[in-house]
């Protein structure tokens, strides 16, 4: 009888240990599955936001290209830059754009939407804070993000 009692307790402890191990394994794999599901959801959200941001910047760049081409076609804006305002209005109607400026390659402002007198806006090429980003913008054919 004592041997039987000892074997029953051994079986009980073995089954309990096996059940605990299986529960822990099942919990671990379930946690991994949930973690992977949320990681994939986060990656998809980040990719969606990145694509939307890229699309927004691409749209802004195209609009600026059209406005830049229209302004560059007419030499009169170099001498009478106030007419640039009609082109800038199309860009400023977009809530994503706060200000708009046109400079010469020498860094002199021809038009600034945030200032009625562009002569008061400092030359971008002569300022140490904006020189590097201005030169970088001049060397690219697309939109460049930076101080300028």
């Amino acid at each position: 009888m004592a041997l039987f009692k000892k074997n029953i307790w051994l079986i009980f402890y073995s089954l309990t240990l096996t059940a605990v191990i299986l529960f822990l394994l099942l919990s671990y794999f379930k946690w991994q599955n949930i973690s992977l599901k949320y990681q994939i959801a986060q990656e998809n959200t980040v990719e969606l936001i990145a694509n939307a941001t890229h699309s927004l910047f691409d749209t802004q760049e195209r609009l600026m290209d059209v406005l830049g081409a229209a302004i560059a076609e007419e030499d009169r804006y170099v001498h009478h830059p106030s007419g640039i305002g009609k082109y800038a209005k199309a860009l400023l109607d977009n809530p994503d754009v706060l200000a708009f400026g046109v400079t010469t390659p020498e860094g002199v402002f021809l038009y600034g939407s945030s200032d009625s007198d562009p002569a008061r806006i400092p030359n971008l090429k002569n300022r140490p804070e904006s020189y590097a980003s201005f030169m970088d913008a001049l060397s690219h054919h697309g939109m460049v993000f930076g101080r300028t």
Side-chain angles (χ1 to χ4, degrees), residues 3 54 64 90 119-120 131 148:
L3 183 64
H54 177 72
M64 286 185 204
R120 294 188 336 191
Y131 177 79
T148 56

Side-chain angles (χ1 to χ4, degrees), residues 2-66:
L3 183 64
F4 181 68
K5 273 187 167 180
K6 186 178 178 185
N7 286 338
I8 285 182
W9 283 110
L10 181 64
I11 292 171
F12 172 75
Y13 289 135
S14 299
L15 287 175
T16 304
L17 181 64
T18 305
V20 167
I21 290 173
L22 286 175
F23 176 74
L24 290 175
L25 281 172
L26 181 65
S27 297
Y28 175 74
F29 287 122
K30 184 67 174 176
W31 175 79
Q32 285 242 332
N33 188 19
I34 291 170
S35 176
L36 181 63
K37 182 174 93 173
Y38 281 107
Q39 179 182 354
I40 290 170
Q42 288 293 327
E43 288 172 357
N44 289 340
T45 302
V46 167
E47 186 177 345
L48 181 66
I49 291 170
N51 287 338
T53 303
H54 177 72
S55 176
L56 174 69
F57 288 145
D58 190 45
T59 301
Q60 297 300 334
E61 183 177 15
R62 289 174 193 269
L63 182 57
M64 286 185 204
D65 283 345
V66 168

Side-chain angles (χ1 to χ4, degrees), residues 62-106:
R62 289 174 193 269
L63 182 57
M64 286 185 204
D65 283 345
V66 168
L67 292 174
I71 292 168
E73 282 179 5
E74 300 187 38
D75 290 337
R76 66 186 165 118
Y77 292 121
V78 174
H79 304 294
H80 300 357
S82 59
I84 295 174
K86 72 176 184 178
Y87 292 111
K89 183 174 176 358
L91 187 62
L92 293 171
D93 283 345
N94 187 333
D96 300 320
V97 177
L98 297 176
F100 176 74
V102 178
T103 66
T104 65
E106 290 76 36

